[in-house]
Structures are given as C-alpha cells and as structure tokens.
C-alpha cells in the first residue's frame, strides 16, 4: 500500500536523533509522502529544511492560532513573499485557524482571515486548525467565499459539522483520535462522510493512536489509523488506501507521479 501523511510535525524536536529511524519504519509501512505544516515564523526555515531533506517531504507555511501573539504585520508580509515565490514543495498555507481552548478568538480571527486571503490570492490550499470552532470556521470560509481545497485537520466534531464543511469543499483530516473508542462522534462522522472527503494524517508527535504514549506519535503509525478507518467504513485496507491516496493528491494538487515529491 502507498500512504501519505498529510499533516505531520516531523520538524519538531521530539524527532531529533530518531528522525531517520522513524522515517525508515514509515517507509517500510508504505509511506510515500509526508507534509510538514508550519506554525510560526521562527520555525518556517526549519520546516522547509526538514521537508527538503528527504524525497517524500513537502511543507506548508502558516501562523497557528496558538502563536498569533508572537507575530506582527511584518510576518504576514514575509509569509506573502515566501509563498508568492511558489517555492519547491510548498503545497499550502497553514497551519492556520481558530482554537477556543487556547488564547482568544478575537485575537486569532484576523490572522485566520488574512491567511485565507493569501491562500486565495496565490491559489494554494489551506490547512486549518479548528478546536471547538467548526461552526465559526465554516462561517468564515463561507463569508469570504472560499472555493479552494482545504484540510480541516485533526477533526473532532460531529457528522453534521463535518458535512457542512465538506459541502464547502473542505477535506476532513482523519488521525489517531478515531482509534480511541471514546471518540464516538468523530468515529461516527468518518464512518458516514463521503469517502472522497477523507484525508489520512498523524499530526505526529501529537494525536497518538490507541496504545501509543502521548507525544510519541510517528508517521510510522499511519497504518494503525488506516486499519481502524477501514474497519469503520466496512472496507479492506487494500481497497481504501488507493482512494485516500487520490484524495490527498487532489487536496495538494499533486499530479500522477508527483508522489513522492521529488
């Protein structure tokens, strides 16, 4: 099987000293692509360099809602210059979005809107962080007439919320949460949504699957998520994997042969 981890913080220091080993294990399990999202200006160069260091790597650049307080207008100007040059293997704007549990939505909102505008201007997909703000994210995207691809990563809402986002053209990130039986709403949503809306991701080192210690997640665990998703969908992994590969290729606008990104 061929798998792409659509959202993995492979640049984080948790992987220092073990990055090559984890990548080797992931490759052995079928990994052919991995997308590293950026979360703040201070990390953008590390994100890029990590992605470009191996042939499967691609990356995004963005300002995460947790870190908006670290930034000012000059950082948005730099982000515009960086993505406007369409650098090699930069595939999206993000990670950006809203988070009700950390910081304030009042502070986060203008940064999210600004990055939606950048993505629209440069015709790039969005990678969206949304924690207890799925209705707000839907409202912003609709109000700004967003029409491009977008990944709502680490989705943990209801089927009804996911369905509204999918109707806007968003994809739904499916990660380790679905391996936990307590995540009933999320498991129900991914079991019922259109298959073409689902995107496989780990969010490593976070969002650990069942049986993996918190903060110890890895792209090598992508197969665990695939296995549970296949069970929820009543399909074999072999039948599901090619559909998910097509989905992530459509999200990041990869042509046939672009994965792995070289």
């Amino acid at each position: 099987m061929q798998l792409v981890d659509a959202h993995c913080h492979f640049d984080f220091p948790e992987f220092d000293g073990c990055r090559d080993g984890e990548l080797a294990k992931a490759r052995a399990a079928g990994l052919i692509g991995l997308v590293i999202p950026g979360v703040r200006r201070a990390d953008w160069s590390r994100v890029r360099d990590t992605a470009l260091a191996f042939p499967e790597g691609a990356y995004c650049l963005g300002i995460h809602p947790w870190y908006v307080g670290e930034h000012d207008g000059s950082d948005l100007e730099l982000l515009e210059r960086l993505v406007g040059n369409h650098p090699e293997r930069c595939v999206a704007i993000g990670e950006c979005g809203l988070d009700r549990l950390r910081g304030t939505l009042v502070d986060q909102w203008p940064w999210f809107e600004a990055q939606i505008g950048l993505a629209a201007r440069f015709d790039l997909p969005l990678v969206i962080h949304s924690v207890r703000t799925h209705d707000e994210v839907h409202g912003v995207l609709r109000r700004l007439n967003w029409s491009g691809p977008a990944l709502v990563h680490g989705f943990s809402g209801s089927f009804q919320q996911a369905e509204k986002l999918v109707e806007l053209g968003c994809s739904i990130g499916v990660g380790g949460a679905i391996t936990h039986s307590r995540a009933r709403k999320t498991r129900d949503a991914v079991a019922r949504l259109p298959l073409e809306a689902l995107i496989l991701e780990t969010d490593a080192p976070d969002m650990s699957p069942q049986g993996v210690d918190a903060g110890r997640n890895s792209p090598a665990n992508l197969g665990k998520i695939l296995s549970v998703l296949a069970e929820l969908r009543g399909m074999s992994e072999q039948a599901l994997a090619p559909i998910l590969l097509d989905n992530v290729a459509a999200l990041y606008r990869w042509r046939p042969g672009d994965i792995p990104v070289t």
Side-chain angles (χ1 to χ4, degrees):
M1 289 183 292
Q2 295 182 316
L3 305 175
V4 170
D5 191 342
H7 189 107
C8 174
H9 295 282
F10 206 49
D11 64 304
F12 276 17
E14 286 87 340
F15 292 107
D16 291 352
C18 65
R19 195 169 281 108
D20 290 345
E22 292 301 320
L23 186 57
K25 288 191 288 187
R27 287 168 172 162
L31 186 84
I32 65 165
L34 185 150
V35 180
I36 305 173
V39 297
R40 54 187 173 183
R41 176 178 179 164
D43 298 344
W44 289 344
S45 60
R46 186 185 71 200
V47 166
R48 179 198 61 217
D49 292 347
T50 303
L52 296 181
F54 55 96
E56 298 93 340
Y59 68 100
C60 321
L61 295 178
I63 298 171
H64 191 289
W66 290 4
Y67 304 113
V68 297
E70 298 180 11
H71 297 83
D72 58 30
S74 67
D75 300 309
L76 279 175
E77 293 172 2
L78 176 61
L79 180 60
E80 182 173 4
R81 291 197 300 273
L82 291 175
V83 300
N85 292 332
H86 295 285
E88 180 188 10
R89 301 197 228 166
C90 182
V91 295
I93 297 285
E95 179 175 351
C96 59
L98 302 171
D99 191 320
R100 193 178 297 278
L101 299 184
R102 188 159 171 174
T104 70
L105 297 188
V106 170
D107 291 335
Q108 297 166 15
W109 210 286
W111 293 91
F112 184 33
E113 291 195 357
Q115 290 175 89
I116 294 171
L118 280 182
R121 191 176 316 153
F122 294 114
D123 194 25
L124 285 167
L126 277 171
V127 173
I128 299 173
H129 173 101
S130 175
V131 173
R132 298 193 184 179
T133 56
H134 298 319
D135 293 333
E136 287 83 357
V137 165
H138 175 271
V140 173
L141 294 175
R142 185 174 62 179
R143 178 168 53 81
L144 296 182
N145 297 311
W146 174 257
S147 59
L151 171 64
V152 181
H153 113 87
F155 181 82
S156 60
S158 68
F159 169 74
Q160 291 76 16
Q161 289 174 316
E163 188 176 41
K164 288 172 60 179
L165 289 163
V166 170
E167 287 172 357
L168 280 183
C170 294
S171 299
I172 301 299
V174 181
I178 69 163
T179 67
H180 299 274
S181 59
R182 66 180 181 272
R184 291 186 293 273
K185 280 196 311 182
T186 307
R187 286 162 61 93
D188 173 68
V190 302
R192 297 166 59 194
L193 288 168
L195 266 179
E196 61 269 19
L198 304 181
I199 299 289
L200 208 61
E201 61 175 1
T202 64
D203 196 32
D206 298 318
M207 209 159 71
S208 295
Q210 180 71 37
V212 177
D213 291 342
R216 302 287 296 182
N217 196 12
S218 163
N221 292 321
L222 203 61
K224 297 178 186 290
I225 302 165
L226 172 67
S227 178
V228 173
L229 181 59
E231 181 181 349
L232 291 172
R233 300 294 307 205
M235 300 174 64
S236 70
E237 296 174 37
Q238 290 75 17
L240 181 57
I243 297 170
L244 297 173
L245 189 63
D246 287 343
N247 293 350
V248 73
L251 168 68
Y252 290 127
R253 294 172 170 163
W254 281 319
R255 300 174 302 245
D258 280 353
I259 308 173
V261 183
T262 56

